[in-house]
Amino acid sequence: MNVNWSIERYDEVHSTQDELKALALKGAGEGQVVTAKSQNGGRGRHGRVWVSEPGNLYFSLLLRPSCGLNAIGQLALIVGASIGAAIKELVLEPDDVSLKWPNDVFLGGKKCAGILIETELDSNNIIDWVAVGIGVNIVRAPKEIGAALSDYALSDIKIEDVQQSILNEIEDRYLQWGAEGFAAIKAEWLSMAHPVGTPITVGAGKHMARGTFHDIDSHGSLILRDDEGQVRTLSAGDVHIQE
Ligand code: BTN
């Protein structure tokens, strides 16, 4: 078994997510990839803008897993662990790579890559397709909060090589997930993430929960231990690590 990646390359698109979704609606198969040198409407999680100038990596890939929507949390962590593993191979200090729930990839404590997962369900609420959008800062990154891979790299970085190695790592874990389930990938994700006991806030807008990171559950949701010692399971939101 393998995933046959088939890559369509563009100079500029609005968003690789939109191009990929159009192909999915026309029946494109699992493994379809759309990549662009720049995007004029790149988007991030929670409707944020993802600035997409030439020099960084922007692509979206299509998966058609046979599972329900409750497995999407696992898929987010599978993709995060895969990018983390790919980037570890390219940098001088692999320990500089870390993950933040649900799927941000950090280098030296600053965000280096982001993942946007969008899904379409069929009439029986089963996943029809999943568009996984990936942006990696290769040569430029937002000031103060972002890291560019080339600043941490062992040697000259080629965008196509970074993309290919991410695709290879995703393929490995996606097939492992199908064959063995989530447990080993969850363990790998935890080995790269904020340690248990890290003070965090989780949520969006006014609905923030405070406490310490406790674990990831079998669906990929975050388990928080709040200040009263109660554990709470959260399936969505941003994590902020408290210094
Ligand atoms: C995030 O961290 O908020 C997710 C960022 C995802 C950005 C990528 S770039 C390729 C793909 N196309 C988009 O419009 N967004 C994703």
Side-chain angles (χ1 to χ4, degrees):
M1 274 282 291
N2 58 356
V3 180
N4 291 315
W5 302 116
S6 162
I7 306 181
E8 276 194 16
R9 297 182 189 279
Y10 294 88
D11 281 340
E12 183 172 70
V13 293
H14 183 68
S15 159
T16 57
Q17 288 291 93
D18 297 342
E19 297 294 328
L20 186 76
K21 283 181 188 179
L23 294 175
L25 291 171
K26 283 192 220 152
E30 178 160 274
Q32 179 69 56
V33 178
V34 171
T35 184
K37 288 184 183 159
S38 66
Q39 303 180 111
N40 52 45
R43 58 178 183 272
R45 295 173 61 236
H46 306 301
R48 294 183 196 116
V49 170
W50 187 263
V51 176
S52 304
E53 291 168 2
N56 289 342
L57 172 60
Y58 314 105
F59 69 107
S60 298
L61 59 95
L62 187 69
L63 297 174
R64 293 185 181 271
S66 42
C67 59
L69 196 56
N70 61 0
I72 287 299
Q74 297 181 353
L75 193 57
L77 303 195
I78 288 167
V79 177
S82 301
I83 299 176
I87 290 182
K88 268 181 186 286
E89 293 292 322
L90 299 169
V91 295
L92 212 54
E93 295 290 346
D95 285 348
D96 281 343
V97 180
S98 61
L99 302 177
K100 183 164 77 72
W101 188 87
N103 51 18
D104 288 336
V105 183
F106 279 65
L107 253 179
K110 295 179 178 183
K111 183 159 165 172
C112 172
I115 302 161
L116 175 67
I117 295 193
E118 296 174 316
T119 43
E120 179 82 7
L121 300 178
D122 69 15
S123 51
N124 297 318
N125 263 359
I126 300 294
I127 291 173
D128 186 6
W129 48 261
V130 183
V132 179
I134 297 172
V136 184
N137 300 328
I138 307 278
V139 293
R140 63 181 98 234
K143 270 207 175 97
E144 313 287 334
I145 54 166
L149 180 52
S150 55
D151 292 338
Y152 292 78
L154 275 167
S155 55
D156 274 359
I157 291 283
K158 289 203 181 69
I159 295 185
E160 294 76 20
D161 294 348
V162 179
Q163 181 180 33
Q164 193 53 56
S165 104
I166 290 173
L167 288 173
N168 293 344
E169 298 288 350
I170 291 176
E171 177 175 3
D172 287 351
R173 285 165 188 75
Y174 185 61
L175 297 178
Q176 181 186 12
W177 182 48
E180 299 168 15
F182 183 55
I185 301 164
K186 172 184 153 178
E188 183 190 21
W189 189 91
L190 284 169
S191 74
M192 287 190 251
H194 28 71
V196 171
T198 303
I200 53 173
T201 55
V202 194
K206 288 182 190 154
H207 304 284
M208 299 300 288
R210 243 178 95 94
T212 56
F213 175 65
H214 184 61
D215 203 355
I216 294 295
D217 77 4
S218 61
H219 299 295
S221 296
L222 179 138
I223 306 177
L224 176 88
R225 182 183 287 277
D226 71 17
D227 293 343
E228 283 75 49
Q230 304 290 317
V231 291
R232 294 175 58 183
T233 303
L234 299 148
S235 60
D238 283 324
V239 165
H240 300 275
I241 300 198
Q242 306 301 302
E243 299 303 330

